[in-house]
Amino acid sequence: MTLAVIAAGAALVVGAAFAGWTLGLGTRDRAVTVNTALVIYTCLVTAVAAIVALWAYRAATGRPALDIEITFNFSFPNEPVFAAVHDEDDITGWRKLESFKQTWATVTLNNASAYAAKNPGVRIGLEGLGSLGPQEGWQTVTFVSSVGITAIQWDGGTDSIVHGQWSRALPTLDFSDVRELVPGETALVVTIVADGVEPLVKRLPVRVLDQEEYGAYTEQRAQQVTLD
């Protein structure tokens, strides 16, 4: 479009100068028509420059719309559900998440906006949960001697832009060593940040079930997946 407008303006000038175009001015004075054509051409170029500058400004200042999707195996996205077992050797009485594929999760950072998210970061805090082991690709932020790691963080930096209408896969999570500290009050508190936007905080409740409850949940989930 930019080239078309510039070409149209240039055609007006050439037509007025060499083809005798009057541009509807009602005069045969070529100097007048040429000057008028130049003014029109200048206005078109200025308008195009203003539009291009506006587009560039919007692209530079537009805000991304980030969201997170944490999906543990055998759970719905952002709805973690685990089976738990009692560790007879643990004097605390805390239930431990049963270690099998259910404790592995994929983490995806989504950007629903047309604008890129620069310098993104994600922090995951454990609420009512403990004994999280070191997570590859994640930095330990908070460690409590009695319960272990309670918060981890991923920093994308300038090399991990999340483009508009796009997503980025983050390092996976392994909750195989996690224990339930406060029954009924367990959750993941996720904070998402990026340059130029307010931090987004999401609380994802975590359900820890005994074997019988987990069996019923698995059956219900299978039925729902089939219907969907």
Side-chain angles (χ1 to χ4, degrees), residues 135-173:
Q135 304 294 301
E136 185 175 354
W138 297 81
Q139 177 184 359
T140 298
V141 176
T142 307
F143 181 91
V144 179
S145 59
S146 58
V147 296
I149 298 171
T150 57
I152 56 176
Q153 183 168 308
W154 172 84
D155 289 302
T158 56
D159 295 331
S160 297
I161 292 175
V162 185
H163 297 287
Q165 304 292 327
W166 202 252
S167 62
R168 177 173 289 276
L170 304 192
T172 58
L173 300 175

Side-chain angles (χ1 to χ4, degrees), residues 14-164:
V14 173
F18 302 104
W21 293 1
T22 62
L23 307 180
L25 297 176
T27 178
R28 289 289 181 178
D29 190 329
R30 183 169 296 182
V32 173
T33 55
V34 170
N35 286 335
T36 302
L38 286 172
V39 170
I40 295 173
Y41 178 68
T42 302
C43 291
L44 288 174
V45 171
T46 302
V48 168
I51 293 172
V52 171
L54 179 60
W55 284 345
Y57 174 78
R58 290 187 61 186
T61 60
R63 295 187 175 185
L66 294 176
D67 204 352
I68 198 79
E69 185 175 285
I70 301 177
T71 306
F72 285 88
N73 290 319
F74 314 124
S75 296
F76 291 109
N78 292 345
E79 298 178 11
V81 179
F82 302 103
V85 293
H86 285 284
D87 186 351
E88 295 180 356
D89 296 329
D90 188 350
I91 61 174
T92 65
W94 294 335
R95 292 192 299 175
K96 179 181 178 181
L97 304 188
E98 187 175 4
S99 296
F100 66 102
K101 290 183 178 180
Q102 69 160 348
T103 55
W104 285 88
T106 58
V107 184
T108 306
L109 189 58
N110 299 309
N111 183 6
S113 168
Y115 306 107
K118 301 176 182 178
N119 196 22
V122 175
R123 178 176 293 184
I124 300 176
L126 276 62
E127 193 175 279
L129 298 167
S131 300
L132 177 68
Q135 304 294 301
E136 185 175 354
W138 297 81
Q139 177 184 359
T140 298
V141 176
T142 307
F143 181 91
V144 179
S145 59
S146 58
V147 296
I149 298 171
T150 57
I152 56 176
Q153 183 168 308
W154 172 84
D155 289 302
T158 56
D159 295 331
S160 297
I161 292 175
V162 185
H163 297 287

